[in-house]
């Protein structure tokens, strides 16, 4: 619940409600990006960015290298698979 | 050092361990007890074990596992309330996976589901909102729990439900805040801590300043840290260095993720939706005045407590305390190690958890169990 999984924003889905499609460990899912959008990072500039996703919300930006390290750590700790399986089952439901 | 090879950068890890070993006796000074350092967050406990970090540390340092796992501090009576809501025929009860197996005094949510209640595991509170949209004739309740890491997500979901004017969605709010919990630990007379490793992802939301009171009022150094084994070693080194140099500061090892001021949009959503609750009960820590939050009156229509007139389960004799022979409370407060609990690895194990600390991999009993620390010497 607390660790967060890195994902890459692939597309802006809803500009008004700040929803983006994010690829999280191979699962594409709608994610709310309100917490990572500001004047410096307008929504339309976010495609391609790596973000840390907690419970369907992007909470922080991270660079690609950091994302790769975090993904490797989560895989080693064995914490990620259950969440990814759950995401797959639940699907995108924003 | 058998675990060292598992580090992505073994040379740096080795250097940090050597530095910690060099500084630790200076840091410890004349004290009889080793320095007691609490890693507040269950995610850190998990990393400490997985990489054998605790066993690399010199005898001058002892790690104390903190209560920073939201399911572990959930009182049984709150699980009973969840079950009572889930038992209402109109309700679809939704929750994060970790909460499903936490025992209540009567049953867990998983058992409630097996008994026919409509309990669904979701990945995000937004999934619960989607279920509410699809099922307008049912009441959809999301069990909102966790420290500040999950608070923005539930707050933003509630705001979205409000915007849409959804009438059949509500949150059962059990969020708790980290600084107030730390204050409770610092005032516990049984716990004599010397410093903290503070949680990375909570801090990503709240920033570094809410911890200022720890150094100012209690004179305990604190380092915010990430979850990589090297993050934790570096943070421990920073902490030991503070002791050795006689400093007492809030330092941020995880600055690549944690901004000094936290996440502005997340904090705004939290402030909009939640307010401090007068009393909230924590497993192991008892009543903590101001650690819990509740939904503000403006959003009362989305508050499951109000909607369902909670607590509804007390008539059945539910109380929030653990049975005497289960030592969860003492383990949570860091005054007892998991293997000292008579149930540990016997009647209580991850397949059949009797206490919440055995449920999530971040609970300290589950971590001790998973990494074979079944007794002091193992
Ligand atoms: S072993 Fe089980 S009962 Fe004992 S403290 Fe741990 S979780 Fe609680």
């Amino acid at each position: 619940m607390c660790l967060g999984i890195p994902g890459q924003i692939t597309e802006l889905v809803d500009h008004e409600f700040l929803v983006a499609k994010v690829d999280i460990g191979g699962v594409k899912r709608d994610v709310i990006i309100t917490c990572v959008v500001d004047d410096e990072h307008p929504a339309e500039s976010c495609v391609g960015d790596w973000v840390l996703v907690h419970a369907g919300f992007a909470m922080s930006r991270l660079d690609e290298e950091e994302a790769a390290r975090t993904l490797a750590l989560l895989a080693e700790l064995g914490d990620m698979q259950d969440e990814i399986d759950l995401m797959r089952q639940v699907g995108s439901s924003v | 050092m058998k675990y060292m090879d598992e580090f992505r950068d073994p040379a740096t890890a080795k250097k940090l361990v050597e530095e910690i070993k060099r500084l630790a006796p200076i840091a410890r000074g004349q004290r009889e007890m080793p320095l007691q350092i609490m890693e507040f967050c269950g995610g850190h406990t998990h990393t400490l074990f997985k990489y054998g970090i605790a066993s690399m540390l010199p005898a001058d340092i002892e790690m104390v596992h903190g209560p920073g796992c939201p399911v572990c501090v959930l009182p049984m009576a709150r699980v009973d309330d969840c079950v009572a809501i889930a038992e209402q025929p109109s309700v679809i009860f939704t929750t994060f996976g970790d909460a499903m197996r936490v025992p209540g005094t009567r049953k867990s949510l998983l058992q409630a589901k097996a008994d026919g209640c409509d309990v669904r595991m979701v990945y995000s509170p937004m999934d619960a909102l989607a279920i509410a949209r699809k099922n307008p004739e049912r009441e959809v309740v999301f069990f909102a729990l966790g420290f500040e890491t999950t608070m923005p997500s539930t707050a933003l979901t509630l705001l979205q439900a409000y915007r849409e004017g959804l009438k059949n969605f509500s949150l059962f709010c059990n969020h708790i805040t980290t600084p107030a919990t730390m204050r409770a630990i610092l005032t516990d007379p049984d716990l004599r801590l010397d410093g903290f490793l503070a949680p990375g992802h909570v801090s990503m939301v709240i920033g570094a300043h809410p911890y200022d009171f720890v150094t100012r009022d209690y004179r305990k150094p604190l380092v915010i840290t990430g979850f990589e084994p090297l993050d934790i070693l570096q943070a421990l080194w920073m902490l030991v260095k503070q002791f050795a140099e006689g400093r007492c500061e809030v330092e941020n090892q995880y600055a690549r993720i944690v901004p000094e001021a936290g996440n502005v949009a997340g904090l705004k959503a939290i402030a909009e939706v939640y307010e401090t609750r007068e009393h909230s009960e924590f497993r192991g820590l008892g009543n903590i005045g101001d650690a819990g939050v509740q939904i503000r009156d403006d959003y009362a229509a989305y508050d499951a407590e109000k909607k369902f007139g909670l607590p509804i389960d007390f008539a059945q004799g539910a109380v929030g305390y653990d049975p005497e022979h289960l030592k969860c409370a003492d383990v949570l407060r860091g005054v007892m190690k998991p293997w000292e609990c008579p149930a540990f690895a016997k009647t209580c194990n991850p397949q059949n958890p009797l206490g919440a600390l055995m449920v999530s991999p971040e609970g300290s009993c589950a971590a001790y169990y998973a990494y074979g620390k079944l007794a002091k010497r193992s």
Side-chain angles (χ1 to χ4, degrees):
Chain A
M1 184 196 310
C2 301
L3 268 178
I5 308 178
Q8 190 174 28
I9 299 179
T10 58
E11 168 194 345
L12 192 63
V13 176
D14 185 326
H15 198 284
E16 195 189 343
F17 291 115
L18 297 174
V19 184
K21 199 62 93 191
V22 177
D23 184 328
I24 309 168
V27 179
K28 289 232 170 115
R29 132 145 224 147
D30 288 350
V31 163
I32 313 287
I33 57 170
T34 314
C35 292
V36 295
V37 169
D38 53 30
D39 292 346
E40 258 176 68
H41 303 98
E44 49 285 352
S45 76
C46 290
V47 174
D49 289 356
W50 283 87
V51 285
L52 200 58
V53 183
H54 283 262
F57 289 74
M59 290 306 305
S60 170
R61 286 161 192 289
L62 61 179
D63 63 35
E64 196 170 350
E65 196 190 324
E66 173 76 21
R69 284 156 57 97
T70 307
L71 281 168
L73 175 79
L74 290 176
E76 266 175 44
L77 288 174
D79 278 355
M80 191 170 51
Q81 205 48 48
D82 285 355
E83 292 222 341
I84 290 193
D85 290 346
L86 187 59
M87 263 184 254
R88 203 170 267 133
Q89 278 167 32
V90 178
S92 269
S93 43
V94 173
Chain B
M1 222 163 273
K2 91 178 187 337
Y3 294 102
M4 201 60 102
D5 297 343
E6 287 184 24
F7 282 88
R8 263 176 286 286
D9 184 354
T12 309
K14 197 158 171 257
K15 226 167 127 201
L16 283 168
V17 172
E18 275 163 15
E19 266 301 286
I20 292 170
K21 283 194 174 145
R22 187 180 70 78
L23 287 171
I26 308 170
R28 179 177 176 176
Q30 300 305 312
R31 311 171 27 119
E32 264 175 43
M33 296 242 294
L35 287 169
Q36 309 257 307
I37 296 176
M38 176 178 273
E39 89 279 4
F40 182 87
C41 167
H44 289 159
T45 310
H46 201 17
T47 305
L48 277 171
F49 277 104
K50 165 85 188 166
Y51 295 92
I53 293 173
S55 57
M56 290 173 194
L57 298 176
D60 305 291
I61 299 175
E62 189 180 270
M63 298 306 297
V64 180
H65 313 303
C69 161
V71 300
C72 298
V73 292
L74 195 64
M76 279 185 162
R78 291 307 253 183
V79 179
D80 293 342
D81 288 342
C82 289
V83 170
I85 298 173
E87 282 172 345
Q88 310 288 306
S90 66
V91 165
I92 302 176
F93 194 87
T94 58
T95 172
F96 291 129
D98 311 27
M100 292 284 278
R101 294 191 309 130
V102 182
T105 54
R106 284 200 294 136
K107 52 175 96 168
S108 67
L109 281 164
L110 198 62
Q111 287 158 335
K113 185 180 167 75
D115 293 343
C117 297
D118 194 344
V119 179
R120 302 186 195 179
M121 200 155 94
V122 292
Y123 163 67
S124 162
M126 288 303 278
D127 299 335
L129 199 63
I131 294 172
R133 288 190 201 107
K134 274 191 216 131
N135 296 277
E137 75 296 348
R138 306 277 303 274
E139 273 297 331
V140 176
V141 182
F142 181 72
F143 184 26
L145 84 166
F147 287 95
E148 289 89 337
T149 329
T150 48
M151 278 166 90
S153 60
T154 56
L156 286 162
T157 303
L158 184 147
L159 291 172
Q160 180 62 22
Y162 179 80
R163 232 174 264 138
E164 292 178 28
L166 273 182
K167 298 267 183 287
N168 64 328
F169 177 79
S170 57
L171 293 182
F172 181 36
C173 176
N174 284 269
H175 284 299
I176 36 186
T177 56
T178 304
T181 310
M182 275 189 176
R183 192 186 287 279
I185 294 169
L186 284 162
T187 46
D188 184 334
D190 291 341
L191 253 185
R192 302 248 291 279
L193 292 172
D194 298 293
F196 284 99
L197 295 184
H201 290 165
V202 161
S203 310
M204 164 185 84
V205 175
I206 66 175
H209 295 301
Y211 302 113
D212 286 346
F213 77 95
V214 178
T215 52
R216 189 191 56 229
D217 302 345
Y218 295 91
R219 304 295 303 157
K220 310 288 181 197
L222 177 149
V223 179
I224 298 164
T225 183
F227 298 89
E228 287 268 343
L230 278 184
D231 287 335
I232 293 189
L233 278 181
Q234 195 190 357
L236 281 170
W237 169 69
M238 289 164 75
L239 210 51
V240 175
K241 203 156 173 277
Q242 284 205 42
F243 289 121
E245 292 171 4
R247 286 183 293 121
C248 179
E249 293 163 18
V250 172
E251 289 185 300
N252 185 4
Q253 181 276 336
Y254 203 33
R256 61 189 195 271
I257 296 287
V258 175
E260 193 87 343
N263 185 295
V264 178
L267 287 171
K268 199 171 146 219
I270 291 174
E272 173 66 30
V273 169
Y274 300 119
E275 65 186 2
T276 304
R277 208 187 265 275
E278 219 171 291
H279 297 290
S280 34
E281 193 202 328
F282 274 50
R283 228 182 220 212
L285 296 168
N287 257 310
I288 298 189
D290 56 354
V293 297
Q294 62 194 11
I295 295 168
R296 286 185 189 279
D297 273 346
D298 294 352
Y299 301 104
Y302 299 90
D303 187 345
E305 264 175 72
K306 300 220 166 84
K307 221 173 198 175
F308 295 92
L310 285 171
I312 42 186
D313 205 30
F314 280 2
Q316 294 169 17
V319 283
Y321 302 106
D322 297 331
E324 196 32 44
H325 65 290
L326 306 181
K327 298 296 177 194
C328 310
D330 290 336
V331 174
L332 257 176
R333 287 160 60 232
V335 296
M336 190 185 255
K337 298 285 185 214
W339 39 261
E340 292 174 293
C341 168
F344 179 72
K346 295 187 185 89
T347 45
C348 184
N349 56 56
Q351 286 72 45
N352 179 30
L354 295 180
L357 293 162
M358 205 43 116
V359 173
S360 146
E362 282 150 38
S364 49
C365 293
Y368 270 70
Y369 188 94
Y371 297 108
K373 305 269 187 227
L374 302 186
K376 191 174 186 180
R377 291 182 192 287
S378 63

